[in-house]
């Protein structure tokens, strides 16, 4: 939605042209808003051009960035459970990411990462709710939680036979 906030004595009665990337998309009289559907994500150059009665007019220009709406999906290499102090490899399998996406991983123990595909070692065994938040700009954020289990290392080496029995 494009909003005309023009002020002045002729603002309500003047005619206005709206352009997106130098293409006329709307013509209006008065300062009403105009709805425009932009076809894809990316940068758009907007122009509001008043058709002046007295040739004393100004053009308002602004570039906006239309970001994709993200859907966070934290990925996990291997199914777990994971051993304490071993690397747990996370990866981003989210939808709607682009070159400007910012990542925030919360490992549920006070540790964080801003990498898209971090690796982390848990010092303590337990259940953790790992949260991935992806941010594509104002009003374009999403978060999702992935539960993982980290098992303790007891220091005993075990051997297993063909039937899976410890010896």
């Amino acid at each position: 939605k494009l909003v005309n906030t023009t002020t002045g004595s002729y603002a309500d009665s003047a005619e206005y042209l709206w352009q997106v990337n130098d293409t006329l998309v709307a013509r209006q009289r008065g300062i009403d808003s105009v709805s425009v559907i932009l076809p894809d994500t990316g940068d758009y150059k907007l122009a509001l051009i008043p058709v002046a009665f007295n040739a004393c007019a100004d053009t308002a220009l602004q570039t906006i960035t239309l970001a994709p709406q993200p859907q966070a999906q934290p990925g996990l290499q291997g199914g777990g459970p994971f051993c304490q102090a071993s690397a747990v490899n996370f990866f981003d399998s989210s939808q709607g990411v682009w070159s400007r996406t910012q990542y925030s991983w919360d490992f549920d123990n006070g540790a964080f990462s801003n990498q898209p595909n971090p690796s982390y070692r848990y010092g303590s065994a337990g259940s953790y709710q790992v949260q991935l938040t992806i941010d594509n700009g104002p009003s374009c954020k999403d978060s999702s939680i992935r539960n993982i289990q980290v098992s303790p290392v007891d220091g005993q080496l075990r051997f297993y036979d063909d039937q899976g029995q410890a010896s």
Side-chain angles (χ1 to χ4, degrees):
K1 186 176 199 177
L2 305 176
V3 179
N4 182 348
T5 58
T6 303
T7 60
S9 58
Y10 294 107
D12 289 332
S13 59
E15 184 176 12
Y16 298 91
L17 306 177
W18 285 98
Q19 290 182 345
V20 176
N21 292 342
D22 299 321
T23 300
L24 181 66
V25 295
R27 179 181 289 251
Q28 74 178 108
R29 184 164 299 283
I31 57 170
D32 296 326
S33 61
V34 173
S35 292
V36 175
I37 296 175
L38 300 174
D40 202 358
T41 60
D43 294 331
Y44 291 91
K45 184 175 70 171
L46 305 178
L48 175 61
I49 306 165
V51 179
F53 298 116
N54 59 6
C56 293
D58 193 10
T59 299
L61 300 172
Q62 183 171 355
T63 299
I64 63 167
T65 299
L66 184 61
Q69 183 61 45
Q71 294 175 326
Q73 183 64 44
L76 185 59
Q77 189 175 33
F82 300 94
C83 292
Q84 175 183 342
S86 295
V88 180
N89 296 310
F90 298 95
F91 62 91
D92 171 43
S93 59
S94 304
Q95 300 296 312
V97 297
W98 66 334
S99 61
R100 299 177 190 176
T101 298
Q102 295 179 348
Y103 298 87
S104 177
W105 292 85
D106 179 344
F107 298 115
D108 194 26
N109 66 351
F112 300 88
S113 174
N114 292 323
Q115 299 299 313
N117 304 306
S119 182
Y120 185 72
R121 296 178 190 276
Y122 284 89
S124 300
S127 295
Y128 296 92
Q129 292 186 326
V130 178
Q131 181 174 7
L132 169 61
T133 301
I134 56 176
D135 184 348
N136 285 352
S139 302
C140 289
K141 279 186 180 181
D142 192 44
S143 294
S144 185
I145 292 176
R146 178 85 183 241
N147 294 313
I148 68 164
Q149 182 67 39
V150 176
S151 300
V153 176
D154 60 14
Q156 296 180 8
L157 183 60
R158 293 186 177 88
F159 293 96
Y160 294 88
D161 62 21
D162 293 341
Q163 285 75 39
Q165 301 294 320
S167 56

